[in-house]
């Protein structure tokens, strides 16, 4: 029996190892296409890095089918503003087409204005074929490689030669390239690439327009094909725009399992390794300080305290032992501290599990919205641990009303984030953007919160309160001891602000890539690097808090509870300041609503970072103080 158990365990490990190299969720199978099979292109949202406000494809007067059908979207997709719909772009597998006419549009004043606004704000059109996003290949001049831009621009601004007047031109001709990998045995093929080259062409034809009209500017029979934008299509009222497309099929050596590699190709590996090395140097520096304190100073302190023989010597206590009767005295606003610690545990659990699943390939970009959906669901279910952690600490502080602390843990953080989110969502809704969360989705979020998360917090609190209270290693005096006047560098505000610099320093390089992927519409899928940085962040937060906590206790200041939380938590302040710097140096946002959205979401991110790092620092300091005071003999 033991033999078969070991075999089963080994098989499970092998499956996990295989999963680490796999991008696709279990159950997502590749689709095989035979020659002549219909390929239906779907359209997604219009996006712009200048406004950060997504819009549906058909918010512009593009060619539309008789009935527009929405594809089923998960929770994460809706929150990201994705709106996937059918389109008139359709072609047959491995059958090239030239100059296919989609439709003919005559612009009125309103339509022309809408197109101009989107071109001016540099909006891009996003399309999908067989779950692959459309990309524009761009050759890099500085090196022999190709980068891929997600989606193509609605149009461009320019001037005719000899004129200073700026005109708007629309990309109305799309030259698609579908790359496929063929199975030599079955002759079936799988799609491994979907690229486009957009052109602006003022199409011409003879006679009156009807369905059978042949273009003179794009006619495969006359060998007239679109190869440049030398005669561009202007966007003005009463202008006639004809939308056309070509399709070319290219056989590729890229296999289906690797088709996302080009999208996720990172040319900045060296910078990421520099980020890891930079973070490790900070950790080694802090570890040296902690080792010095633990192995030399603390060992010397404990040996000295335990070797005191006479009563006179015992009365001459100095340093951190002097405050043993006050060090475990409950702090002011202890209830709020319990709530924040519980929330931090909830966040920590969500981040840890999400990263593990992401590294194993379960949250690939092929599963649009999967990452956000997973984070939301994990947040909800981690409420169990939030309730348990907050109530355990609450009971240690001799609290008895566990239901009150459970309710505050379940409500405080989500309510403050929801208030900010509601304001931002109202602004997005006012801009008629697809990024506005619909009523149905809002109801689903409220149900997740009150229907699942809140009950789980109460269950965790009930279990935590039933456990015996955590006993302090030393007794607390009835009368609090007076804290002596502190040196300027031991001032609580100065100490807290200094404590946040190193944790932020350990992650700020990786933070640049995260902000770039979020706000500049790029993929982020280097979760291995991110997990390493997260581990380094945990160690840095713990070590800096322990070091500063030791100095604080040595100066006879026993009010360490809140300071331990704020010391590492203050790194969130530097995160927000860095986000402000990033806004003014890297982004081109000019609209007020877009700026409010950016700072609103970064405020939520910084608040979340504060809760996580603060909780890590608190538990490190909690463990440290219990360890040192349980190591000395105290009468």
């Amino acid at each position: 029996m033991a033999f078969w158990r070991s075999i089963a365990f080994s098989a499970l490990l092998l499956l996990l190892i295989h999963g680490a190299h796999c991008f696709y969720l279990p159950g997502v199978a590749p689709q095989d296409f035979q020659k002549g099979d219909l390929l239906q292109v779907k359209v997604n949202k219009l996006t712009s890095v200048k406004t950060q406000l997504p819009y549906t494809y058909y918010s512009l007067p593009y060619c539309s089918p008789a009935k527009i059908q929405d594809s089923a979207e998960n929770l994460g997709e809706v929150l990201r503003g994705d709106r996937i719909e059918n389109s008139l772009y359709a072609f047959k597998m491995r059958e090239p087409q030239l100059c296919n006419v989609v439709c003919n549009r005559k612009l009125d004043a309103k339509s022309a204005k809408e197109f101009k606004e989107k071109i001016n704000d540099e909006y891009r059109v996003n399309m999908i074929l067989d779950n692959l996003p459309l990309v524009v290949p761009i050759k890099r001049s500085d090196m022999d490689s190709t980068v891929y831009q997600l989606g193509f621009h609605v149009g461009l601004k320019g001037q005719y030669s000899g004129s200073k007047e700026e005109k708007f031109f629309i990309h109305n001709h799309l030259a698609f390239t579908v790359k496929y990998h063929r199975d030599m045995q079955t002759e079936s093929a799988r799609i491994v690439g979907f690229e486009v080259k957009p052109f602006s062409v003022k199409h011409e034809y003879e006679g009156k327009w009807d369905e059978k009209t042949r273009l003179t500017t794009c006619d495969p029979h006359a060998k007239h094909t679109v190869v440049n934008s030398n005669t561009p299509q202007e966007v003005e009222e009463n202008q006639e725009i004809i939308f056309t497309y070509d399709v070319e099929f290219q056989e590729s050596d890229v296999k289906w399992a690797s088709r996302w590699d080009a999208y996720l190709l990172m040319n900045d590996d060296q910078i990421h390794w520099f980020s890891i090395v930079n973070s490790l140097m900070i950790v080694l520096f802090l570890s040296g300080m902690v080792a010095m304190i633990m192995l030399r100073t603390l060992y010397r302190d404990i040996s000295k305290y335990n070797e005191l023989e006479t009563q006179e010597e015992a009365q001459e206590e100095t340093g951190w032992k002097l405050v043993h009767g006050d060090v475990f005295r409950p702090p002011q606003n202890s209830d709020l501290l319990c709530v924040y610690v519980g929330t931090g545990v909830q966040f920590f659990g969500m981040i840890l599990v999400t990263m593990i699943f992401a590294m194993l390939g379960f949250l690939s970009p092929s599963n649009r919205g999967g990452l956000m959906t997973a984070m939301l669901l994990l947040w909800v279910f981690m409420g169990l641990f939030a309730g348990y952690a907050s109530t355990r600490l609450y009971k240690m502080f001799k609290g008895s009303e566990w239901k009150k602390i459970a309710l505050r843990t379940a409500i405080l953080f989500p309510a403050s984030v929801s208030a900010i989110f509601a304001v931002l969502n109202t602004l997005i809704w006012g801009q008629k953007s697809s990024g506005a969360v619909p009523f149905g989705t809002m109801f689903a979020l409220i149900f997740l919160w009150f229907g699942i998360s809140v009950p789980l917090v109460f269950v965790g609190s009930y279990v935590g309160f039933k456990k015996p209270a955590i006993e302090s290693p030393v007794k607390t005096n009835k009368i609090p001891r007076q804290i002596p006047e502190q040196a300027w560098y031991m001032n609580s505000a100065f100490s807290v602000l200094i404590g946040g610099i190193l944790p932020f320093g350990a992650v700020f390089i990786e933070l640049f890539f995260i902000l770039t992927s979020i706000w500049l519409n790029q993929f982020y899928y280097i979760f291995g690097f991110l997990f390493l940085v997260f581990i380094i962040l945990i160690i840095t937060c713990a070590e800096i808090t322990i070091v500063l906590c030791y100095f604080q206790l040595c100066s006879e200041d026993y009010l360490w509870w809140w300071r331990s939380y704020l010391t590492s938590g203050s790194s969130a302040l530097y995160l927000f300041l860095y986000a402000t710097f990033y806004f003014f140096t890297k982004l081109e946002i000019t609209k007020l609503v877009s700026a409010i959205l950016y700072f609103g979401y970064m405020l939520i991110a910084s608040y979340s970072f504060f809760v996580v790092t603060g909780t890590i620092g608190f538990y490190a300091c909690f463990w440290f103080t219990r360890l040192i005071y349980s190591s000395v003999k105290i009468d």
Side-chain angles (χ1 to χ4, degrees):
M1 190 70 179
F3 171 76
W4 288 111
R5 278 181 187 166
S6 63
I7 289 292
F9 182 71
S10 302
L12 179 62
L13 279 178
L14 284 172
L15 282 172
L16 288 175
I17 290 166
H18 172 71
H21 295 88
C22 179
F23 275 148
Y24 289 87
L25 284 168
V28 178
Q31 189 170 354
D32 293 318
F33 296 96
Q34 301 295 333
K35 188 174 181 180
D37 284 354
L38 183 67
L39 302 178
Q40 191 71 48
V41 176
K42 293 183 178 181
V43 290
N44 200 351
K45 61 188 176 184
L46 306 173
T47 56
S48 167
V49 296
K50 288 185 73 173
T51 69
Q52 303 297 335
L53 292 167
Y55 288 89
T56 59
Y57 177 80
Y58 294 114
S59 63
L60 286 180
Y62 278 118
C63 309
S64 60
K67 185 179 179 183
I68 298 172
Q69 296 176 326
D70 284 340
S71 297
E73 285 137 1
N74 59 41
L75 187 61
E77 282 180 298
V78 175
L79 292 175
R80 278 163 32 106
D82 285 346
R83 299 294 183 268
I84 301 170
E85 298 160 317
N86 59 329
S87 76
L88 290 173
Y89 292 95
F91 19 88
K92 293 181 179 179
M93 187 67 176
R94 290 159 59 192
E95 292 184 6
Q97 298 175 26
L98 289 173
C99 299
N100 267 24
V101 176
V102 186
C103 75
N104 178 313
R105 281 272 188 271
K106 190 164 187 178
L107 298 183
D108 55 21
K110 183 185 175 186
S111 300
K113 184 185 175 187
E114 288 172 346
F115 271 122
K116 284 181 179 180
E117 285 176 350
K118 294 296 185 288
I119 292 170
N120 193 51
D121 288 332
E122 297 180 12
Y123 270 86
R124 295 179 189 172
V125 178
N126 293 283
M127 295 183 174
I128 300 166
L129 178 65
D130 189 34
N131 205 35
L132 267 182
L134 181 68
V135 292
V136 178
I138 301 170
K139 283 278 186 184
R140 291 183 66 164
S141 56
D142 56 334
M143 57 182 71
D144 189 23
S145 64
T146 303
V147 293
Y148 295 93
Q149 171 192 284
L150 279 173
F152 64 91
H153 285 105
V154 172
L156 49 91
K157 291 189 292 184
Q159 300 162 343
Y160 290 114
S161 57
S163 171
K164 292 184 178 180
E165 187 182 358
E166 195 167 52
K167 296 286 187 180
F168 293 84
F169 305 102
I170 189 171
H171 285 138
N172 60 323
H173 180 84
L174 304 177
F176 293 111
T177 301
V178 179
K179 295 184 177 181
Y180 64 92
H181 182 79
R182 187 166 57 173
D183 188 326
M184 294 302 180
Q185 294 179 338
T186 62
E187 283 299 306
S188 64
R190 294 173 179 175
I191 293 171
V192 295
F194 186 35
E195 300 174 2
V196 71
K197 287 182 182 176
F199 298 100
S200 181
V201 182
K202 185 172 178 59
H203 285 302
E204 295 175 358
Y205 57 90
E206 296 176 355
K208 288 188 177 181
W209 177 265
D210 59 40
E211 292 181 1
K212 296 180 181 178
T213 300
R214 280 170 59 172
L215 301 172
T216 57
T217 47
C218 187
D219 186 357
H221 303 289
K223 295 184 179 180
H224 284 167
T225 56
V226 177
V227 292
N228 56 49
S229 299
N230 289 343
T231 54
Q233 174 63 61
E234 196 176 322
V235 177
E236 287 296 343
E237 186 180 352
N238 297 323
Q239 282 281 346
E240 186 180 36
I241 300 177
I242 300 169
F243 291 91
T244 55
Y245 68 93
D246 302 334
V247 185
E248 177 191 0
F249 289 87
Q250 286 182 5
E251 191 167 355
S252 172
D253 294 329
V254 177
K255 294 185 178 178
W256 185 86
S258 304
R259 66 179 187 163
W260 278 86
D261 288 2
Y263 295 78
L264 307 175
L265 182 64
M266 300 299 297
N267 295 314
D268 304 304
D269 284 348
Q270 288 183 338
I271 299 175
H272 285 280
W273 280 117
F274 174 72
S275 168
I276 300 294
V277 171
N278 166 67
S279 304
L280 283 172
M281 291 299 289
I282 292 172
V283 168
L284 287 172
F285 167 71
L286 279 173
S287 298
M289 288 186 67
V290 171
M292 185 177 67
I293 289 170
M294 290 288 198
L295 300 178
R296 295 187 60 190
T297 315
L298 261 178
Y299 180 76
R300 189 182 64 223
D301 287 349
I302 291 167
S303 299
K304 185 178 72 176
Y305 294 150
N306 289 341
E307 286 171 4
L308 295 175
E309 294 177 357
T310 66
Q311 186 67 24
E312 289 78 10
E313 287 177 315
Q315 287 175 351
E316 293 175 4
E317 292 176 351
T318 56
W320 54 265
K321 190 186 177 185
L322 195 61
V323 294
H324 67 81
D326 297 277
V327 77
F328 291 105
R329 186 182 304 282
Q332 289 185 333
N333 298 317
S334 58
D335 289 8
L336 187 62
L337 180 64
C338 296
V339 169
Y340 269 108
V341 168
T343 306
V345 168
Q346 187 174 8
F347 246 113
F348 183 84
M350 177 198 76
I351 293 169
L352 187 65
V353 177
T354 301
M355 283 195 187
I356 291 169
F357 274 105
M359 283 197 304
L360 293 174
F362 284 89
L363 299 174
S364 78
S366 66
N367 179 28
R368 261 177 304 277
L371 183 64
M372 190 172 287
T373 305
M375 289 178 75
L376 272 171
L377 294 177
L378 282 168
W379 161 265
V380 167
F381 289 112
M382 287 295 165
L384 193 69
F385 299 98
Y388 181 84
S390 60
T391 309
R392 288 283 284 152
L393 191 61
Y394 178 69
K395 192 171 183 181
M396 180 188 166
F397 293 148
K398 305 294 187 290
S400 57
E401 299 177 4
W402 68 271
K403 291 178 183 176
K404 181 183 77 172
I405 215 72
L407 184 64
R408 290 180 70 180
T409 304
I411 298 295
L412 182 66
F413 181 85
S416 53
V417 169
S418 298
I420 300 170
F421 182 74
V423 172
L424 297 179
N425 196 57
T426 305
L427 290 172
I428 298 170
W429 179 76
Q431 296 292 312
K432 299 179 181 178
S433 166
S434 66
V437 177
F439 176 77
T441 307
M442 197 71 82
F443 179 79
L445 291 173
I446 292 170
F447 172 76
L448 284 172
W449 179 10
F450 287 101
I452 301 176
S453 181
V454 172
L456 283 176
V457 171
F458 271 87
V459 170
S461 293
Y462 176 78
V463 173
F465 198 73
K466 286 295 179 185
K467 292 269 186 180
I470 301 169
E471 293 293 332
S472 300
V474 289
K475 290 182 179 179
T476 302
N477 296 335
K478 289 184 179 179
I479 301 172
R481 174 188 179 85
Q482 188 173 358
I483 300 170
E485 190 175 345
Q486 301 292 303
W488 67 269
Y489 53 84
M490 289 307 298
N491 178 274
S492 57
F494 181 79
S495 179
V496 163
L497 288 174
I498 289 295
I501 293 175
L502 287 176
F504 171 75
V507 301
F508 87 96
I509 297 176
E510 203 62 31
L511 182 66
F512 169 80
F513 293 101
I514 295 170
L515 290 177
T516 301
S517 66
I518 294 171
W519 299 108
L520 295 181
N521 199 28
Q522 296 179 14
F523 286 120
Y524 184 92
Y525 201 65
I526 42 175
F527 290 105
F529 280 112
L530 189 61
F531 187 72
L532 276 173
V533 171
F534 183 60
I535 297 298
I536 289 168
L537 176 67
I538 294 169
I539 297 168
T540 311
C541 287
E543 290 183 343
I544 191 66
T545 310
I546 287 171
V547 168
L548 294 177
C549 182
Y550 174 76
F551 292 149
Q552 181 186 351
L553 293 174
C554 285
S555 63
E556 300 177 24
D557 182 356
Y558 53 82
L559 302 177
W560 63 272
W561 295 97
W562 271 108
R563 197 187 289 193
S564 67
Y565 197 98
L566 296 173
T567 295
S568 51
S570 66
S571 56
L573 173 64
Y574 297 102
L575 188 151
F576 190 77
L577 291 173
Y578 180 77
T580 306
F581 170 77
Y582 185 87
F583 177 84
F584 288 108
T585 57
K586 297 295 179 183
L587 299 182
E588 298 177 8
I589 292 174
T590 52
K591 292 190 176 181
L592 178 63
V593 171
S594 303
I596 293 171
L597 285 181
Y598 176 84
F599 285 106
Y601 284 127
M602 289 315 301
L603 183 63
I604 292 173
S606 301
Y607 187 24
S608 306
F609 194 71
F610 165 74
V611 169
V612 176
T613 53
T615 301
I616 294 167
F618 171 82
Y619 272 116
C621 201
F622 184 61
W623 167 80
F624 173 72
T625 50
R626 289 179 61 81
L627 179 70
I628 64 173
Y629 283 100
S630 61
S631 302
V632 292
K633 296 174 187 175
I634 295 170
D635 296 329

